[in-house]
Amino acid sequence: MSATLAGRTALVTGGNRGLGRAMAVAMAEAGADIVIWGRDAAALERAAEEVRAIGRDCLAQAVDVTDSAQVNAAAAEAWEQAGGVDAAFTSAGVLLLQAATETSDADWEAVMGANLTGMFYCCRAFGERMLAQGHGKLVNIASNFGLHGGANWAAYSASKAGVIGLSKSLAWEWAPSVTVNVIAPGAFYTDMNSHLLDVPEIMAAVEGNTPLGRVGDPPELGPLAVMLAGPGSDFMTGAVISIDGGVIKP
């Protein structure tokens, strides 16, 4: 895959850590220049340096995706500085494991704001520019919880199910020039969920409910990101791809 994405530019929201960072690095290794968005300036710079060490250009932008004005301004800057963006991955989001009856209005709004409303702001900004340039690949990161739910995951599952519905609608609306697909990861060990998976009982339960018997390692998502950003996905749109060790049920 060393030259699969040569000559292309890929943008990753939440690209400063976790799954977003792993996808950004994999696409850089496949030849793409990278734009990464995140809120933590120090983490952004570390991720950008990792991409640059591979020999690719990297534009790092501090963006809060829940602020539509910031999203629009950053998208305009990214398109101008990069000369267009060929693939955009929306990976920014938050996690909430909490009983529905204990989920406050503020909790619900925070999860929806980051995981669904913020993603819509990004899709709108990216889609407008991709349609104008006549091509583009948009890949939204959902979760297997958006497909099968789970006890104490009401807000999170609802937000990720919304991502899937949004993506399927955009796939119809923006075809044929812009494709829109979804990755629905299962449990990967990341900064965001390490506080849960570091609890031995929780890790044992997750592993016991996974046919492959373990959680994922973020770099394992890289090859899928490269495929979805490149020519291997040219005849794909509206697809939801689970990568969860076999957990997902029909």
Short mmCIF file of all heavy atoms in Angstrom, two decimals, residues 118 142 157 163 177:
data_model
loop_
_atom_site.label_atom_id
_atom_site.label_comp_id
_atom_site.label_asym_id
_atom_site.label_seq_id
_atom_site.Cartn_x
_atom_site.Cartn_y
_atom_site.Cartn_z
N GLY A 118 -21.88 17.84 15.66
CA GLY A 118 -20.56 18.24 15.19
C GLY A 118 -20.17 17.50 13.92
O GLY A 118 -19.54 18.08 13.02
N ALA A 142 -18.60 5.71 13.10
CA ALA A 142 -19.71 5.47 14.01
C ALA A 142 -19.23 4.53 15.11
O ALA A 142 -18.17 4.75 15.71
CB ALA A 142 -20.90 4.88 13.24
N SER A 157 -25.09 5.22 21.93
CA SER A 157 -25.65 4.41 20.85
C SER A 157 -26.56 5.23 19.95
O SER A 157 -26.53 5.09 18.72
CB SER A 157 -26.44 3.22 21.43
OG SER A 157 -25.58 2.33 22.11
N VAL A 163 -25.35 8.85 13.25
CA VAL A 163 -24.26 8.99 12.27
C VAL A 163 -24.52 8.07 11.08
O VAL A 163 -24.32 8.47 9.92
CB VAL A 163 -22.91 8.64 12.92
CG1 VAL A 163 -21.82 8.48 11.87
CG2 VAL A 163 -22.52 9.71 13.94
N SER A 177 -20.81 12.00 -7.46
CA SER A 177 -19.46 12.57 -7.39
C SER A 177 -18.79 12.39 -6.03
O SER A 177 -17.56 12.30 -5.94
CB SER A 177 -19.48 14.05 -7.76
OG SER A 177 -20.36 14.77 -6.93
#
